[in-house]
Amino acid sequence: MYQSIECRKLVKAFRGDGVETHALKQVDLVLEGGKFISLIGPSGSGKSTLLSLIGTLDEPTSGELLHGGQSVSRLNSRQLADFRFETIGFIFQQFHLIPTLTALENIMAPLFGRKVSYDKKERSLKLLELVGLSEKANALPSQLSGGQQQRIAIARALVHEPKWLLADEPTGNLDFETGEVIFQLLQRLNQEKGCGVLFVTHDPQLANRADRKIEMRDGEIIADSQARHYA
């Protein structure tokens, strides 16, 4: 199941009012499958931009992105959608749950319109149990706390069994205790499910508890090391 990700000289430039701004500058990076990797840096350092490129939500200005040794640069929009479904699970700071759907329906949402070999509802119920919210199956997002909404979002990201979870500040809108619960849940899922996790954060204490810590500044990687695994 493990699948590596390779970034080769990725550049992302934005143009406006005659000025070109480089969000990413020639980023070279290899991410090993199955690892829990943190990505840290100040606002504007390029963390979220890099995450969007790795998840194929955006295209680089130049450079190449490979998943499992295969370039995704030449995939058309339908092929990219299929690739994301097979490979990537996204977790966002803002949860992005559909307000008119129940918790269970939100988890099932990525499977809507997809032909799969398993029972969609059964798998979603198992994930509800995995994140400790079986009793909230019929609750709407407005009836859930922030931490509960994020756990539903994590279950939704896992429903199609991705090879990578890309988490963009998933604890940023949560209090310390709830954020700790979410972080520990992601660590457990990484260990039990075997999916790689790329965890974007501003929090150095969380970043240090990953298998590997990558630090960015001004669109470049300035440090890349094995993290220290604080208890």
Side-chain angles (χ1 to χ4, degrees):
M1 175 183 177
Y2 296 160
Q3 179 170 300
S4 65
I5 298 172
E6 184 176 357
C7 305
R8 295 180 178 174
K9 300 191 181 306
L10 285 187
V11 172
K12 184 63 180 180
F14 298 95
R15 296 174 179 85
D17 297 327
V19 178
E20 183 173 87
T21 303
H22 284 76
L24 291 181
K25 306 171 184 175
Q26 301 280 332
V27 170
D28 286 309
L29 183 65
V30 176
L31 304 174
E32 310 95 327
K35 299 293 186 181
F36 194 110
I37 302 168
S38 63
L39 185 60
I40 190 169
S43 296
S45 61
K47 305 184 305 297
S48 294
T49 299
L50 180 58
L51 205 71
S52 293
L53 296 187
I54 287 174
T56 70
L57 294 177
D58 199 1
E59 297 180 1
T61 303
S62 62
E64 189 174 21
L65 174 70
L66 296 90
H67 280 261
Q70 301 296 313
S71 175
V72 300
S73 304
R74 296 177 180 83
L75 299 182
N76 60 37
S77 57
R78 179 54 189 270
Q79 290 171 326
L80 280 173
D82 289 340
F83 164 79
R84 282 191 292 269
F85 180 77
E86 295 166 1
T87 309
I88 304 292
F90 294 98
I91 306 168
F92 302 100
Q93 183 176 351
Q94 302 294 337
F95 317 139
H96 294 306
L97 300 182
I98 301 171
T100 56
L101 298 184
T102 65
L104 179 61
E105 290 167 341
N106 265 286
I107 294 172
M108 294 174 63
L111 306 178
F112 292 165
R114 289 275 181 178
K115 291 183 179 181
V116 294
S117 60
Y118 47 84
D119 185 279
K120 299 176 183 179
K121 184 174 182 180
E122 180 180 351
R123 174 172 288 189
S124 299
L125 284 169
K126 287 182 178 178
L127 285 168
L128 259 179
E129 182 179 359
L130 183 67
V131 299
L133 291 175
S134 294
E135 76 283 1
K136 299 294 185 180
N138 296 316
L140 294 172
S142 61
Q143 298 170 313
L144 301 172
S145 69
Q148 289 171 334
Q149 290 186 59
Q150 191 60 290
R151 283 149 71 187
I152 296 299
I154 291 170
R156 178 185 58 190
L158 287 168
V159 73
H160 52 293
E161 295 191 341
K163 297 177 177 63
W164 279 90
L165 285 177
L166 304 184
D168 194 358
E169 294 278 1
T171 62
N173 279 340
L174 306 174
D175 61 74
F176 175 80
E177 290 185 3
T178 306
E180 178 65 22
V181 169
I182 295 301
F183 185 84
Q184 289 184 15
L185 175 60
L186 288 172
Q187 282 189 314
R188 180 163 63 86
L189 293 171
N190 167 249
Q191 295 164 2
E192 294 178 1
K193 294 289 186 180
C195 57
V197 176
L198 184 57
F199 181 89
V200 172
T201 182
H202 281 96
D203 188 335
Q205 292 187 343
L206 290 181
N208 283 336
R209 291 163 60 187
D211 298 321
R212 176 183 172 194
K213 181 177 70 173
I214 299 167
E215 186 172 354
M216 295 189 70
R217 186 177 299 154
D218 297 329
E220 298 177 303
I221 294 172
I222 61 170
D224 187 350
S225 61
Q226 299 301 307
R228 292 190 287 272
H229 290 287
Y230 287 111

